[in-house]
């Protein structure tokens, strides 16, 4: 049997765990943006998803999943409420009927245009309170590139 975790070890994890601090920060940011997007009946995740679809050419489901660091099943579930609201549409790829392409509808583009200034205001307010925001962003982007499993070698999105 292993030795029990001591109170000092618990404090060490509480004070130094990158994962814990990233999760706490992510939850605080998510709550703040959820409140900001409430008038649009959007969550911060839906806003990010819609931004990920706002491209000249409709991306594949796999490309969007890769961008958002989501598995395809979770992304498919996240798309359903947006599709029901008529904000997002899905259609087969013209070259490969097995792949799905995703795009914003006119209503989706309009809602995104309304929500974007709110994002700008919230983002500016948050950034203003942070020191070295560009460094933080770069560090978070670097952390986002870490494989979920160190044995994983492929970073290519599946379609």
């Amino acid at each position: 049997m292993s030795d029990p975790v001591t109170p000092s070890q618990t404090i060490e994890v509480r004070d130094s765990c990158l994962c814990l601090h990233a999760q706490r920060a992510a939850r605080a940011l998510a709550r703040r943006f959820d409140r900001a997007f409430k008038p649009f009946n959007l969550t911060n995740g839906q806003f990010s998803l819609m931004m990920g679809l706002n491209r000249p050419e409709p991306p594949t489901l796999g490309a969007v999943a890769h961008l958002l660091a989501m598995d395809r099943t979770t992304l498919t579930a996240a798309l359903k409420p947006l599709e029901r609201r008529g904000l997002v549409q899905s259609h087969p790829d013209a070259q490969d009927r097995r792949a799905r392409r995703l795009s914003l509808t006119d209503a989706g583009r309009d809602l995104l245009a309304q929500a974007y200034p709110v994002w700008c205001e919230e983002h500016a307010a948050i950034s203003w309170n942070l020191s070295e925001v560009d460094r933080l962003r770069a560090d978070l982007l670097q952390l986002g590139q870490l494989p979920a499993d160190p044995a994983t070698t492929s970073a290519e999105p599946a379609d």
Side-chain angles (χ1 to χ4, degrees):
M1 182 170 178
S2 299
D3 291 335
V5 174
T6 67
S8 65
Q9 290 169 318
T10 298
I11 291 168
E12 174 192 10
V13 170
R14 179 198 70 194
D15 293 347
S16 65
C17 180
L18 293 174
C19 188
L20 171 64
H21 293 298
Q23 288 171 334
R24 287 181 59 143
R27 288 182 188 113
L29 285 170
R31 283 190 301 270
R32 183 169 180 155
F33 280 99
D34 282 346
R35 281 192 301 272
F37 293 136
K38 190 171 184 157
F40 308 103
N41 195 24
L42 283 177
T43 66
N44 74 85
Q46 290 171 329
F47 176 83
S48 296
L49 173 50
M50 290 175 67
M51 274 297 189
L53 300 180
N54 192 39
R55 305 180 190 191
E57 295 296 320
T60 63
L61 182 75
V64 176
H66 180 73
L67 171 72
L68 299 176
M70 298 173 90
D71 62 68
R72 294 165 54 94
T73 304
T74 303
L75 176 57
T76 299
L79 285 165
K80 289 186 186 304
L82 297 173
E83 288 175 316
R84 281 192 300 267
R85 288 180 61 190
L87 303 173
V88 171
Q89 59 189 6
S90 169
H91 45 88
D93 182 84
Q95 276 69 37
D96 182 355
R97 307 292 282 170
R98 297 169 296 172
R100 290 174 51 203
R101 296 270 174 185
L102 305 168
S103 59
L104 295 172
T105 63
D106 289 341
R109 281 189 290 281
D110 183 55
L111 186 62
L112 198 56
Q114 293 173 49
Y116 176 72
V118 171
W119 175 87
C120 290
E121 290 173 18
E122 288 298 314
H123 194 268
I126 292 165
S127 296
W128 184 83
N129 288 316
L130 297 173
S131 61
E132 300 184 48
V133 70
D134 291 333
R135 173 64 188 261
L136 174 60
R137 185 179 299 107
D139 288 347
L140 290 171
L141 286 169
Q142 183 178 356
L143 284 172
Q145 300 305 310
L146 294 175
D149 176 356
T152 303
T153 57
S154 174
E156 293 298 313
D159 287 329

